[in-house]
Amino acid sequence: MSANGMGGVSRRGLLAGGIGAAALAAAGCDVGGGGADSGGAGTGEGKITALFMQQAGYSEDDIRGMTADFAKAYPKITVEPTFVAYEALHDKIVAAAPAGTYDVVLIDVIWPAEFGSKKIVTDVTAQFPAAWKTDMLGGALTTAEYQNKFYGVPWILDTKYLFHNTEMLGKAGVDAASLSTWDGVLAAATKIKNAGLVKYPLIWSWKQAEALICDYTQLLGAFGGKFLSDDFQSTAFATGGGLDALKWMKKTLDDGLTNPNSMESLEEDVRKTFSEGGAAMALNWTYMFNAANDPAQSKVAGKVDVLPTPAGSAGAPGVNGSMALCVTGGSKNQKAAWTYISYLTGADVQNKYAKSSLPCWAKSYDDPAVLSVAPKMVPAAKKELANLISRPEVPRYNEISQILQAEVQNALLGRKTPEKALADAADQAKSLLS
Amino acid sequence: MTGFLRRGRVALLAYALLVPAALVVFGVVLYPAGRALVISFFDVDSPFPGAYPFVGLKNYADILTGARFWTAAQHTLYFTLASTTLEVVLGLGLAHLLAAPIRLRWLFRGIVILPWALPTIVNGAMWRWILNAEYGALNALLTQLHVQGDYRSWLGSDPFVALNMVVVADVWKNTSLVAFFLLAGLQTIPGDLLEAARIDGAGPVRAFLRVTLPMLRPTLAAVLVLRIIEAFKVFDIIYVMTGGGPAGGTQTVTFLTYLQAFSAERFSYGAALAYVTVVAILLLALIYLRLLRQQELSVS
């Protein structure tokens, strides 16, 4: 086609006209995302869509089972669940928000500040029964709370526990009771390594991802550190316990106790390595207890035990890794969404699936049925869940976390000293707090 | 008069037939592009519509003065240069092999195109498994051949090694495309030219340098520019293989754009970053269009 083949309109002219028209059309609208119509309560019946994650906590099969039971109890509501990897969950919620694609979304404990302040999820304080505030465990209750408002209902109450291979411990002559402190863990790891039982006794989820910050947080807490100053206006991780935690992590790598492949591992990789007998001890979420004891997917089934997280110089807090179910701001059927959430988070459903994820309700921990499906998890959980440490509850948490992930890795890979890496992270994070 | 009318009707029909395509182009390319440009001058920090402060060129200034962008730009540049160079060199060799008069040539051609037919996400996931530090095939191969003593981490130990591994995965996938472009180019070279060169006493190397390469130049230039543009936009293979790590060492400009726009909800900053990429690609595209026009002229 020649440049003037179309009735005298040149190619350049068309292109310029097109872009001009597009810019004009764009300028005529509000800036920001599309979909100006907001959500609504709806009739409380009909179809709703829900977004869940694929790993840790309740499995996809669990959730489909719960949803099938819900369909029987509430035949007028149909639920269509969708599952994505945790790593894609946040961004999918954001991208789907203006279109109102999902009525119910699962959110992590680190997002209520961001999602709540931007109205991506709705404020459910008014619907939140007073009894829940006393009946739920303290660590769970705050999961979806931001500035004294509730933006969702806690559903997955989780923290990282210390799992160990009882056979390796036995062969190396290590008493499991000595794993109550991080010093004890290092001593045990050295013994196991020297006995030639495994090359690297420890495996962690230290890939450049949120998983790294979860491990780091738990250690930061153990060494008495803090993420932010008390007024939330400046960072506090670059000194004291925050720095000690990073130095400790680096030392376990230098001493050959931590598997260097931790730097490319997420929780699932930790589970696989541990289940293959490639590590003696590892921090992970509740779900690993069952998965690593399942002969179908683990070579060390029956040789896995769990303990509360070890103590550092300042205590043994577990990282708060809880998650909550929320009604989205864009949902056109918020009443039905709330019905579904109330059902899934109820004590009966949570008790039934306690094997995958421990309930958020205090009284469940004395329920014989719960105790019988998770006899080893419950005692560890009872102790650790009473003492949780949170990652910073600030709207721009994700950015701070990304900066910290890269800098912590810089220190772990020996590209910067821990002091320099954390100082650089603090410097970059400064403007995100004001 | 009737001729004029007929011309008018033909033009009308032409426009009518163009409407669907124009709508698609406007709806999914021009409108979002225009909107992103507008957004890049504001400070949009939520996915919802609303009134956001106008900040002019601040986002662009922040990008150009920020260290993260320049680090990402370096990674992008390295990735682009390394992957396109390898793809063209290997693609040229592969094209010659595929052009050779051998038996079952159709089968080899079919096999070679397979990597390119794989979706990038699948390719990335496959290479992540091949390179896995605990049970990856590459580690098994190298250990069994005694090239290395023990399994090692390819994607988590050293940012530069990880970046090179992403290059390898990209080269594996895209070399076949380059090879097929060049194969098409090779087949346009008349056989008698090479024969004449041979009669004049030129060896295979000399014939390649003096006949094949000059005749292949237009195709080579076109495929080079196309691959550079594609490599410049690299995103999905990074997302799947490394997630930008370790220590941010595989973070490219488009990956940073995604992180800023969706993970950090800095939509305006992300839009501005995208436009910085657009400008760079536009320059490359201009070169490409110019080359195409030269080709058209030389053919006609």
Side-chain angles (χ1 to χ4, degrees):
Chain A
M1 187 180 75
S2 79
N4 288 319
M6 275 189 34
V9 186
S10 76
R11 228 179 333 197
R12 275 198 191 120
L14 251 182
L15 195 66
I19 291 179
L24 271 179
C29 314
D30 267 341
V31 280
D37 34 331
S38 55
T43 57
E45 296 173 358
K47 194 183 146 190
I48 55 168
T49 50
L51 183 66
F52 298 98
M53 68 165 177
Q54 245 157 354
Q55 69 263 53
Y58 302 111
S59 70
E60 188 172 334
D61 288 343
D62 293 341
I63 295 168
R64 289 196 187 277
M66 295 173 192
T67 305
D69 292 343
F70 172 78
K72 279 178 212 144
Y74 297 87
K76 286 184 177 161
I77 302 175
T78 6
V79 183
E80 190 187 295
T82 302
F83 299 84
V84 293
Y86 171 81
E87 283 67 38
L89 187 60
H90 171 276
D91 304 348
K92 188 142 178 118
I93 293 172
V94 170
T101 314
Y102 300 105
D103 301 285
V104 173
V105 290
L106 176 66
I107 72 161
D108 199 358
V109 63
I110 44 188
W111 303 331
E114 176 192 347
F115 288 169
S117 62
K118 290 177 184 176
K119 298 189 168 35
I120 291 176
V121 297
T122 57
D123 175 0
V124 293
T125 316
Q127 291 134 283
F128 210 91
W132 289 7
K133 293 175 198 163
T134 50
D135 294 351
M136 275 189 198
L137 287 174
L141 191 63
T142 54
T143 304
E145 194 186 7
Y146 175 60
Q147 293 183 341
N148 300 319
K149 285 180 183 154
F150 290 106
Y151 288 97
V153 187
W155 188 46
I156 297 172
L157 172 59
D158 216 340
T159 180
K160 287 195 147 178
Y161 301 95
L162 184 76
F163 295 87
H164 60 269
N165 183 316
T166 51
E167 188 182 53
M168 286 187 195
L169 253 63
K171 279 187 184 163
V174 175
D175 178 9
S178 70
L179 303 184
S180 61
T181 65
W182 284 115
D183 286 342
V185 169
L186 289 191
T190 312
K191 263 188 175 174
I192 292 167
K193 187 180 171 79
N194 291 342
L197 294 167
V198 64
K199 190 171 180 193
Y200 300 110
L202 295 164
I203 179 91
W204 310 78
S205 54
W206 289 352
K207 185 175 173 167
Q208 186 173 338
E210 192 57 37
L212 165 60
I213 303 302
C214 290
D215 281 5
Y216 174 67
T217 302
Q218 198 144 317
L219 290 163
L220 172 142
F223 291 101
K226 277 199 305 192
F227 265 111
L228 302 178
S229 61
D230 291 332
D231 60 359
F232 282 22
Q233 293 300 305
S234 57
T235 60
F237 53 72
T239 53
L243 180 59
D244 292 344
L246 183 54
K247 282 180 172 169
W248 187 91
M249 290 159 77
K250 172 77 175 121
K251 190 164 183 308
T252 65
L253 276 164
D254 293 343
D255 293 347
L257 300 176
T258 283
N259 190 330
N261 299 342
S262 299
M263 310 295 296
E264 58 175 279
S265 299
L266 292 173
E267 292 93 336
E268 266 298 271
D269 305 300
V270 168
R271 177 186 73 74
K272 284 177 191 152
T273 303
F274 185 83
S275 299
E276 288 288 311
M281 291 169 282
L283 278 188
N284 212 336
W285 310 105
T286 306
Y287 86 107
M288 182 153 116
F289 186 77
N290 270 301
N293 273 315
D294 173 7
Q297 45 181 333
S298 169
K299 287 186 186 163
V300 298
K303 300 169 193 163
V304 180
D305 207 351
V306 61
L307 288 168
T309 185
S313 54
V319 59
N320 188 343
S322 303
M323 298 183 84
L325 288 170
C326 309
V327 179
T328 62
S331 165
K332 307 258 188 314
N333 210 347
Q334 293 175 347
K335 253 168 91 176
W338 178 255
T339 310
Y340 181 55
I341 291 177
S342 307
Y343 178 84
L344 289 190
T345 55
D348 292 345
V349 175
Q350 294 212 328
N351 291 354
K352 186 176 168 188
Y353 291 91
K355 210 172 174 180
S356 300
S357 175
L358 292 175
C360 301
W361 304 93
K363 66 172 193 289
S364 298
Y365 290 77
D366 300 317
D367 186 326
V370 173
L371 269 167
S372 68
V373 295
K376 291 202 167 157
M377 272 315 303
V378 169
K382 250 186 169 172
K383 188 168 174 216
E384 188 168 335
L385 290 175
N387 182 17
L388 294 182
I389 178 171
S390 294
R391 287 160 281 167
E393 286 151 14
V394 288
R396 297 180 78 173
Y397 171 75
N398 259 10
E399 279 174 275
I400 298 173
S401 173
Q402 281 168 18
I403 290 166
L404 200 54
Q405 289 162 25
E407 291 299 345
V408 167
Q409 280 215 327
N410 268 326
L412 295 177
L413 291 172
R415 292 154 55 86
K416 286 182 184 176
T417 62
E419 288 85 353
K420 172 99 173 74
L422 289 180
D424 286 355
D427 192 43
Q428 293 172 68
K430 205 161 41 185
S431 65
L432 303 173
L433 286 167
S434 49
Chain B
M1 188 67 190
T2 49
F4 180 76
L5 256 182
R6 198 165 58 223
R7 263 224 312 270
R9 238 181 254 151
V10 169
L12 213 63
L13 180 69
Y15 282 122
L17 290 175
L18 275 174
V19 163
L23 277 179
V24 170
V25 169
F26 183 82
V28 303
V29 182
L30 291 180
Y31 176 72
R35 183 129 179 175
L37 185 63
V38 173
I39 286 174
S40 73
F41 300 123
F42 286 81
D43 184 14
V44 177
D45 63 353
S46 141
F48 295 115
Y52 295 95
F54 179 79
V55 294
L57 292 171
K58 183 176 177 298
N59 288 318
Y60 292 91
D62 285 352
I63 289 168
L64 298 177
T65 52
R68 275 181 97 181
F69 168 74
W70 291 108
T71 314
Q74 279 172 24
H75 298 154
T76 311
L77 205 63
Y78 177 80
F79 176 85
T80 306
L81 290 178
S83 64
T84 31
T85 308
L86 280 171
E87 278 158 23
V88 167
V89 171
L90 293 174
L92 203 55
L94 199 57
H96 271 91
L97 284 177
L98 292 176
I102 46 170
R103 239 181 256 181
L104 294 176
R105 194 164 69 171
W106 58 272
L107 182 67
F108 290 118
R109 286 185 180 176
I111 291 172
V112 166
I113 201 72
L114 271 182
W116 184 71
L118 275 187
T120 312
I121 297 282
V122 176
N123 183 46
M126 185 184 83
W127 276 95
R128 204 182 57 199
W129 286 113
I130 293 175
L131 297 170
N132 188 292
E134 294 283 332
Y135 33 80
L138 183 69
N139 272 323
L141 182 77
L142 294 180
T143 314
Q144 278 161 31
L145 291 176
H146 299 289
V147 177
Q148 61 183 30
D150 200 0
Y151 279 33
R152 57 160 295 179
S153 165
W154 296 100
L155 297 174
S157 58
D158 181 337
F160 188 60
V161 172
L163 186 57
N164 280 305
M165 288 302 126
V166 180
V167 169
V168 167
D170 187 73
V171 168
W172 186 82
K173 177 172 157 59
N174 287 312
T175 297
S176 55
L177 177 75
V178 174
F180 271 81
F181 263 94
L182 296 178
L183 177 63
L186 276 182
Q187 283 170 339
T188 61
I189 301 174
D192 29 348
L193 266 182
L194 287 166
E195 209 180 316
R198 209 164 41 240
I199 290 168
D200 287 345
V205 175
R206 210 182 158 100
F208 173 76
L209 289 176
R210 289 297 169 88
V211 181
T212 313
L213 212 52
M215 297 289 288
L216 215 51
R217 210 185 51 114
T219 324
L220 213 52
V223 77
L224 205 62
V225 176
L226 273 184
R227 277 310 307 153
I228 289 176
I229 292 175
E230 281 296 310
F232 211 80
K233 296 189 296 186
V234 61
F235 170 76
D236 29 14
I237 200 160
I238 304 259
Y239 184 88
V240 175
M241 281 181 73
T242 64
T250 55
Q251 222 170 63
T252 57
V253 175
T254 40
F255 196 80
L256 182 65
T257 306
Y258 168 80
L259 283 182
Q260 288 294 323
F262 293 100
S263 294
E265 292 198 54
R266 293 178 75 191
F267 291 99
S268 291
Y269 189 84
L273 264 172
Y275 262 92
V276 172
T277 314
V278 164
V279 168
I281 288 177
L282 218 53
L283 290 175
L284 291 168
L286 281 179
I287 298 174
Y288 177 62
L289 288 176
R290 187 128 301 171
L291 285 171
L292 275 189
R293 194 164 299 174
Q294 270 174 10
Q295 241 171 314
E296 269 173 34
L297 289 178
S298 66
V299 167
S300 61

